[in-house]
């Protein structure tokens, strides 16, 4: 049984003071939520303060990126041991990092392996562009991303990975995949490929979030789909009210 997981990706938003206020608000409104795993992913400069606010709560903390090397001459980067001090999760291969910062399936694979080595849960993002979607290339492209991300990863490690299927055209656009389409892509482009790489048990154990303009209104329609195990939320994770409503609506939908 896969435990649903909803994470907020704050992206390049929130100063320390703003992040602390948001985290403190969420700690209050989301107290007692146990049926859904929860996390927020602040920017690196805010991780430490948010970690302190959420210490001992039911809300985990994730970084938005990290290098795969433990240390070295990589100006501006943060390393796995640095993340490990402050966070339990790390987002890897977000489409914005692939698009603007040159991330490739190879760097995603290096980061995924590094996260697992250091006991950090990776949230690995995959998803197709609008052009690929229109050209009918989604299944092949996302399948390639999965094969690249998991290259050389053992089955025992693979089950620790969280995936986020995020069609790029749905991120921050107000557009979403239909729940049925997202569920089908996760089935055929992700779980079926994981069956090929590993086996059915591994494919069924790995949690896959949906991401792309998730909000309080549409969350329930995604969380009830058989292959969708929660959400990676961008814009709607930046306010206490909207992130809380997403979590509460997901809980209500799961209880029906
Ligand atoms: C994201 O950045 O991962 C994301 C899904 O953003 P939004 O919810 O704003 O579309």
């Amino acid at each position: 049984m896969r435990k649903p997981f909803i994470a907020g990706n704050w992206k390049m938003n929130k100063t320390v003071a703003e992040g602390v206020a948001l985290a403190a608000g969420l700690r209050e409104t989301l107290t007692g939520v146990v049926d859904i795993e929860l996390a927020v992913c602040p920017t690196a400069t805010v991780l430490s303060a948010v970690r302190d606010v959420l210490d001992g709560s039911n809300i985990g903390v994730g970084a938005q990126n990290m290098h795969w090397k433990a240390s070295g001459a990589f100006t501006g980067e943060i390393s796995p041991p640095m993340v490990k001090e402050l966070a339990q999760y790390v987002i890897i291969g977000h489409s914005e990092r692939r698009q603007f910062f040159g991330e490739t399936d190879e760097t995603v694979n290096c980061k995924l392996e590094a996260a697992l080595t250091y006991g950090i849960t990776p949230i690995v993002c995959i998803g197709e562009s609008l052009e690929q979607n229109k050209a009918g290339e989604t299944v092949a492209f996302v399948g390639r991303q999965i094969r690249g991300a998991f290259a050389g990863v053992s089955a025992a490690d693979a089950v620790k990975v969280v995936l986020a299927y995020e069609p790029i055209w749905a991120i921050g656009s107000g557009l979403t995949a239909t729940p049925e389409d997202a569920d089908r892509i996760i089935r055929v482009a992700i779980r079926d490929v994981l069956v090929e790489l590993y086996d059915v048990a591994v494919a069924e154990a790995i949690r896959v979030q949906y991401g792309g303009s998730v909000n309080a209104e549409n969350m329930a329609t995604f969380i009830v789909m058989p292959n969708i195990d929660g959400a990676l939320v961008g814009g709607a994770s930046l306010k206490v009210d909207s992130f809380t409503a997403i979590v509460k609506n997901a809980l209500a939908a799961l209880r029906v």
Side-chain angles (χ1 to χ4, degrees):
M1 191 59 186
R2 303 186 297 264
K3 183 170 184 177
F5 179 23
I6 299 179
N9 172 14
W10 293 1
K11 309 195 186 192
M12 197 174 73
N13 295 290
K14 306 292 175 190
T15 60
V16 170
E18 291 164 348
V20 162
L22 176 54
L26 292 173
R27 182 174 180 139
E28 214 171 294
T29 56
L30 296 175
T31 298
V33 174
V34 288
D35 293 339
I36 299 179
E37 194 168 314
L38 300 172
V40 293
C41 303
T43 195
T45 54
V46 183
L47 275 175
S48 174
V50 166
R51 188 268 320 254
D52 290 348
V53 171
L54 296 176
D55 192 32
S57 79
N58 58 336
I59 307 173
V61 177
Q64 296 176 14
N65 177 41
M66 69 177 190
H67 200 278
W68 58 92
K69 293 271 173 100
S71 63
F74 301 102
T75 301
E77 293 288 318
I78 58 172
S79 76
M82 295 169 190
V83 170
K84 178 72 182 172
E85 278 186 323
L86 302 173
Q88 303 103 290
Y89 307 93
V90 61
I91 298 173
I92 291 174
H94 191 280
S95 63
E96 287 151 16
R97 295 217 52 89
R98 294 183 192 251
Q99 187 180 350
F100 302 123
F101 301 101
E103 295 245 358
T104 63
D105 289 341
E106 287 71 34
T107 60
V108 167
N109 178 244
C110 291
K111 293 177 181 199
L112 170 53
E113 292 198 327
L116 293 167
T117 300
Y118 283 87
I120 305 162
T121 299
I123 302 172
V124 178
C125 302
I126 62 265
E128 82 286 0
S129 67
L130 188 59
E131 295 68 38
Q132 289 165 327
N133 184 283
K134 287 202 164 136
E137 294 166 359
T138 299
V139 171
F141 180 73
V142 173
R144 269 205 307 283
Q145 288 184 314
I146 291 292
R147 288 175 202 283
F150 283 90
V153 175
S154 71
D157 274 344
V159 293
K160 300 174 190 159
V161 175
V162 175
L163 295 169
Y165 169 58
E166 304 203 299
I168 298 170
W169 49 271
I171 295 178
S173 63
L175 302 171
T176 63
T178 65
E180 292 73 20
D181 278 348
D183 191 74
R184 183 181 58 82
I185 298 301
I186 293 171
R187 174 82 260 160
V188 301
I190 299 178
R191 293 206 198 278
D192 286 355
V193 172
L194 290 169
V195 172
E196 272 177 47
L197 294 176
Y198 301 100
D199 56 28
V200 173
V202 170
E204 292 301 321
I206 291 178
R207 292 182 295 176
V208 186
Q209 302 171 318
Y210 169 76
S213 299
V214 168
N215 58 36
E217 284 69 48
N218 62 30
M219 181 71 252
T221 63
F222 288 106
I223 197 106
V224 295
M225 300 309 289
N227 288 292
I228 298 178
D229 306 311
L232 184 57
V233 184
S237 72
L238 295 174
K239 291 200 172 121
V240 174
D241 288 357
S242 47
F243 194 64
T244 301
I246 285 171
V247 174
K248 296 270 162 92
N249 289 352
L251 271 178
L254 290 171
R255 282 183 186 143
V256 168

